[in-house]
Amino acid sequence: MKRLIILTLMLLAAAVTITVAYFKKLSPPGAHTNQIISTIPNTAALIFEFDNDDSFYDIYDSSSLFSSVIGEQQLQGLNTLQNAFLRNPVLKAAFYDQNIYVSIHPQAEGVPALLFTLPVKNAVTTETVTALHDTAITIKAIDLAGKPGYCIHLNKQNQDFYLTTKGRNVFTGSFSKLLLEQAAAYEPKQTSSTFKLLPAQQSANSLGNLYINNLAFTPLFDALFKQHNPDFLKPLRILPATAALTLNYKSDALMFNGYTNFNAHGAVSYLNLFSAFKPVNNHLKNIFPLTTAYSNNFAVDDINKFIYKLADWQRKAGLSTERSSLFKKIKQETGIQIDNEFNKQLGHEFAILTTRFDEKLVIVELKDGSALRPFLTNISTMTDDESGQLNYDRIPYYLLGDVFNAVKRPHFIILDNYLILANTKREISNYKDNYLNARFLSHSTVFNEFNNLLSQQCNVAFYVNFKNSAFIFKRHLKPQTYQLYQQQSGLNNFYGASYQLSASDNEFYTNFCMKLDTASSAGTK
C-alpha cells in the first residue's frame, strides 16, 4: 500500500512538472508585457513592440519605412547602438530574442521624444556595461534622477544616448536626457497597464504590435501644434479608448489591424455612437476633391437609429434645450421644420474634410437632393439659383454632431444627391468646378494604390494626404516640429495615412495604414 501511495505521488509530481513545462513552452517571449509596459510613463500615446531577433531586422533592413517615421539620423544612431551595444558579445545573450518597446512622449520643446524599454533575460551589472569595449561608442556612468545610469556617446554621430534600469531586469533608454529622467522617476500608480494588450499567443506570432492610448494624443498634439487642441484628428483623440494592433508585412507600407476597446469608465464621445452600427461601403471618398489634405468620414447602416442616438447623446450632453430652441425659431420664422426635412433625406454617409488651402468642406449623401433644395433655399440667403448661405448658426452641428461645428453658418450647394457645405462661397465654387470636371482624388493612380490597401467597409475613416497637408502643417505646427516633418527622410516620404474603425461587438475593428509615396498626388486647384 505504501509503495502504491509513493508511486501515485511520483506520478502526480511528474504530471505537474510536465504540465508546467508545457504551459511555459506555450508562453511566448514577453509574457510579462503588462508589467513591462506599466513601467513606461503614462504620457505615451503609442507603444511599438517588436522582437529583438535577426528575423525582424532582416525583413526591414532595406526598407525606408522606419527611417521615414523616426528620421534617418535617429535611425543611424539606433543602428550603432544595436551593433555596438545590443549585439556586443558580452550583452547579446541578455538582450537577444527579448521584446523591445518603443514609446513616443510629448516634450515641452515641441519635438516628441522616443523612449526605449528593453527587458533582459538576466541581470546586467554596472561593471559589465561600463567595461564594454567598442570603437563606435564610449560609455560612462552618470546619475539620472537620483538613480544610476549611463551616457553612451555615439562617436560617429557625435550623439548621446542615455540608459538606466527600472528594476525587474528592465532597461530604459532615450536620446532625450529629460525624458529618461522622467522615466527613471516614474512610479506607476497601478501594476497593470493603461493599454489593452494582445492575447499572448497572438502577440508572439506577430511581426510587431502597436498599442495606442487615444486620450494621450491630446497632450502630444498640444506639444506639436501652435494652437491648443487643434482640429486635426480631434474626434479620434477624444475617444476614451485604447487599441492593440498587429503589424502586417508590406514592403512599402506600415499596416496594422486589431481592436479598439472603450474605456470602461470613460465618458461617451461622438465616435462611440458609431459602434452601434454595421459597417457600410464607403463611397463618398470617390468624390473627395484632389485638394483634400485630411478628412473624417462617417457611415451608418440605419439612419433612423443614428438620428435617435445622436439626439439622445446631445440630450445627455445638456444640448436639448439649445437644439430645440434653434429649430423652433426656424419653424416660427420660416414655417419649415428643417430637422425633420433634413432627416428624411439624410443618406448613409457624411464627411468633413480640410483642403490643402485650410478650407473646411462638408459632403453629405442625400436620398433625394431635389427634395431638400427648396427647404434649404427658404432658410438661406441665396447668392444665385443654386447656392446660398444659411441664415442660422450651428445647424450642421445639431443635425450631424459636434465634428461638424467647423461650419457654423455655412454656404451650401446641392449637386445631384450630395449636399456640400463650406465656410466661404469661393470654396463652394471651387468644389462645384472640381465636381463637374471630375477632379477627384479617386482619379489619381497613387490614391487608388493606397485605397487598395484599405477596408472598403467601415463606420469611421480618417485620411491624411501628407503632400496636400504640407501648407497646413507649416501654418499650424511649431517651427521645430515642422522642421522635423520637412526633413528629407521624414513623414513627407509617405503618400498618406488612414485609420478605419468598424463596429464589432461593442468594439471597433481597427485598420491603420501608412503608405510610402510613389508619385506626386498634390492637387492643382
Side-chain angles (χ1 to χ4, degrees), residues 40 92 120 135 148 156 192 194 205 218 230 291 319 326 456 517:
I40 298 173
K92 185 174 181 179
V120 293
T135 57
K156 183 179 179 180
S192 61
T194 302
N205 293 332
T218 292
T291 54
L319 298 173
L326 173 63
Q456 299 308 300
D517 193 11

Side-chain angles (χ1 to χ4, degrees), residues 226 469-478 482 485-486:
K226 298 174 185 176
S469 298
F471 170 75
I472 298 172
F473 289 158
K474 185 176 182 180
R475 174 186 279 188
H476 296 294
L477 287 174
K478 292 178 179 177
Y482 181 68
Y485 165 79
Q486 209 179 17

Side-chain angles (χ1 to χ4, degrees), residues 37-44 103 105 115 172 179 182-184 186 195:
I37 287 183
S38 69
T39 69
I40 298 173
N42 56 10
T43 55
S103 51
H105 301 260
L115 185 72
T172 301
L179 175 58
Q182 293 169 353
Y186 177 72
F195 294 87

